[in-house]
Amino acid sequence: MSALPATYLGIITPLIETAREILERGESLSPFAFVGNLTTGETFPVLLSTATEEEKDAAAAMIRRLAELHEADFIFMIMEAWSLPPSKVGQFKEIIEEYGSIGASPYRVDVASFALETRHGLWVTQIPIEPKGASKTQRTFGRPEFQHFTEANGRFVDLLPVKDGEREPPRTLH
C-alpha cells in the first residue's frame, strides 16, 4: 500500500489547510500532534514543546501515553522545520560539522513537515515554505505529496499502541 488511504486523507486535509491559513496570516506553525481513533471518531490535539532534546523526549512520551489511553489508530504531526535542498542532502554531515545544525547553515530551507503514522506505515511530506506574493510576513506552501515509508527510527515513530492480534507496532520512518 503506497497511496495515502482516503479515510485518513479526509481527516488530515482540513488540518493541512489550517496550517496553510496560519502561515498566510503571517504566523508561524506551532508543532502539533493529532492523536485519533477511527472507531470513536475522536481526535485529540497535542501542542508539542520541542525546544530541547528533553522536551522532545517528553513530547513523544506524552503522545505515546495519549495514543494508548485512547486506543489510537493514527497520529498526524505538523511541524515547521528546516531541510536541505536536494543538491546539498549528500553533504549533510559536513554541513552539520561546519554549522552545528541545518538551521544555522546558509543552505537551510524552511519547510512545512507533515507525518501520518498509521498501522500500515508512515506517510511523510516536507513542502518548502515560500513568501506569499510580495509580502514579507505572509508565507505559504504548495500541494503536499506524501511518500509512504515502512521502516523508521527516531523518537517520533512507533508511537501507536500495540492492539490485540498485533505482534509488534508498525515500523515507520521519520
Side-chain angles (χ1 to χ4, degrees):
M1 170 187 307
S2 61
L4 189 67
T7 301
Y8 298 108
L9 195 56
I11 295 167
I12 68 171
T13 296
L15 300 172
I16 293 169
E17 290 306 314
T18 299
R20 180 180 284 111
E21 290 168 8
I22 289 168
L23 288 176
E24 289 179 353
R25 284 194 310 256
E27 300 173 34
S28 295
L29 292 179
S30 295
F32 262 92
F34 296 87
V35 178
N37 179 307
L38 295 175
T39 304
T40 64
E42 295 177 307
T43 301
F44 303 90
V46 181
L47 179 61
L48 306 175
S49 181
T50 59
T52 67
E53 296 302 311
E54 292 80 17
E55 288 176 334
K56 291 175 187 177
D57 289 340
M62 180 174 38
I63 294 167
R64 187 175 280 111
R65 283 191 304 272
L66 188 62
E68 186 174 342
L69 178 67
H70 295 287
E71 299 178 352
D73 298 301
F74 70 91
I75 298 166
F76 183 59
M77 298 186 70
I78 298 174
M79 293 186 185
E80 192 168 331
W82 294 307
S83 187
L84 291 171
S87 64
K88 297 293 182 186
V89 170
Q91 300 170 25
F92 172 78
K93 288 182 182 178
E94 292 86 358
I95 289 170
I96 296 298
E97 284 179 22
E98 184 173 348
Y99 299 100
S101 71
I102 292 173
S105 83
Y107 309 111
R108 87 174 196 206
V109 175
D110 292 340
V111 296
S113 178
F114 302 100
L116 174 67
E117 180 180 339
T118 73
R119 304 212 173 274
H120 307 288
L122 182 79
W123 284 266
V124 176
T125 188
Q126 290 189 332
I127 313 160
I129 296 174
E130 301 172 344
K132 182 177 181 194
S135 175
K136 293 197 185 292
T137 59
Q138 297 175 328
R139 304 173 300 153
T140 193
F141 55 85
R143 183 176 174 268
E145 294 183 23
F146 285 86
Q147 293 182 11
H148 181 243
F149 297 96
T150 57
E151 295 189 22
N153 293 309
R155 72 171 50 93
F156 288 114
V157 297
D158 294 332
L159 299 173
L160 290 173
V162 176
K163 285 198 170 186
D164 291 340
E166 290 181 346
R167 287 190 283 180
E168 59 184 60
R171 296 296 307 156
T172 52
L173 177 63
H174 183 61

